[in-house]
Amino acid sequence: MKKLLLRLSVFALTLSCGATENPVKNTSKVNVNTSTYGYWQQHVDYAMEIDMDVETFQYQGKQKLVYTNNSPDVLNRVYYHLYFNAFQPGSEMDVRSRTIGDPDPRVGDRISKLQPNEIGYIKVNSLKQNGKEITHKTVGTVLEVKLSQSIQPGESVTFDMDFDGQVPLQIRRSGRNSKEGVALSMTQWYPKLAEYDDEGWHADPYIGREFHGVWGDFDVKLTIDKDYVVGGTGYIQSETKAKKGKKTVHFKAPKVHDFTWAADPDFIHDTFEMENGPTLHFYYKKDLEPKYIENWKKLQPDTAKLMTYFSENVGEYPYDQYSVIQGGDGGMEYAMCTLITGKRSYGSLFGVTAHELAHTWFQFLLATNEAKHEWMDEGFTSYISTLAENEFGSSKSDNPLSGSYRGYIGLANSGYEQPLTTHADRYKYNQVYGAAAYSKGAVFIAQLGYVIGEENLKKTIKKYFEDFSFKHPKPMDFVRTAERITDFELDWYLIDFAQTTNTVDYGVKSVEGNTITLERVGLMPMPIDLYVTYTDGTTEEFYIPLQMMRGEKPTSATIIDDWAWAMPTYSFNTEKTVKSVEIDASKLMADVKRENNIFTVE
């Protein structure tokens, strides 16, 4: 297994808050009832009042939810996530971390050693449906609720809850008193209604992976020690004095599916105003070493460049603020913000910020279910953030995604690969999850550019954002968007690359005079770009379409006859004598055995 860890080259990124009173822009995109291609989704509005004790790290909460059932189904139950309950000895997260072959070093066996005043919890004291008490049961990190009256299609109901919480020691994403001294990283900290969609309920236990939530509006009043600087999802409406040395910070966050905040008495809070863009907020500790303070200052205009790049290449950022906050345990994205550890070289700080900011598009606006389709979250984000880093870095690469290709190919050849349809919590090894979600996910979208052409891929990404932002898209939504752009048939691409562990492996079998014979060794079909050098020194590029694709990408190469997948070999004649042949000189096809891609006549 240790050799596997070295081969996979897995990214270890995990991280994700500001102020004004402006609502989300372009609200014409937000339509939960009459959305794209017959789609529907649920809606919930949160109103919460939270009283935080920064001495005990305990808090009291009142929550009012208005939940609208936009589904065609009658709902007899609902479920809430109680994520903080994961940080208790004996929890599923604890046991999984201690029994998996390669535990996340940030977690390890730390949860098992937490004392009662160090654990996390959310305790539900009362819950009412439309003013009437209802039956509920806490099962680990999930609250199971039996309704007193079923929720009919199209009906809205109100749930009122009183709850108590305790912030755990900082272990994974959330917590208090991080290694860098940040007091409160408050992520996944409130009772969060589980998502219900056309596949049913998604009340997954919190074991270690990421999240899925219901779109809606948040109105949060946080009462906390008056000396704490607070940044959070959404827009600060006001800060008012409260009793006993406290203040109340009032947030509103429209059209999001989560709410995060962080607080510390020693935060520096800088703002950077983008021209024709949102206000950027930066929160970081004033006791950082001068070199780190300098990095956080340098980051501010560069974050604006990243914001502009993603808005131009995916779709316009629709909110009026975004925050980069020191906190958490690495890097993790949240609605309108990221939490990121602050003691980093500038290259690391910029790179992780690029990745987490890109998640705003690929997960927080194109809100895939991260438990089921983790690769659309991490992989698509890795793809676009890598392109952005290549754009603004000191050196340029013709194939900036080469690291992702290496990571995936190492996985494919390791014998440990599981298909991308694997639930994020069900990978045998953390490292295999990482290589699949980050590397193979990035290759999925990059290689699609090889299949359909780069310009068509750019159009697909923008159309995908236009049609599915503020929704919960699935893999087929992205592929169908590409089909609509190109008029190609592309279901084979999704099936083989995402739903199996079939691999791409094409080779040059023989070259005799002016006859070239290629072979398909792997099971996955692909169109072929072929680069030929003749004995007279001239070159020619050929394009062999894949028959089942029912179309050809735009190309300047010579297009020859289609290759039907079931045929293991393919031969054709050139007009000149061949000296050498190379399959996919661009290396944008994820061929897992490149040594048979080149043939030179002796």
Side-chain angles (χ1 to χ4, degrees), residues 24-43 68 70 215-217 255-256 365 465-472:
V24 69
K25 304 173 190 173
N26 299 329
T27 53
S28 60
K29 294 180 182 177
V30 187
N31 189 329
V32 299
N33 292 309
T34 57
S35 48
T36 309
Y37 310 121
Y39 169 89
W40 57 264
Q41 68 187 29
Q42 306 293 67
H43 184 90
T68 302
N70 289 314
W215 284 101
D217 298 341
K255 310 305 180 188
V256 293
L365 289 168
F465 180 84
E466 178 184 335
D467 286 349
F468 292 100
S469 56
F470 296 101
K471 299 179 178 68
H472 295 295

Side-chain angles (χ1 to χ4, degrees), residues 67 86 195 328 334 348 372 382 395 461:
Y67 180 55
E195 180 65 283
Y334 300 99
S348 175
K372 290 196 64 177
S382 295
S395 60
I461 292 171

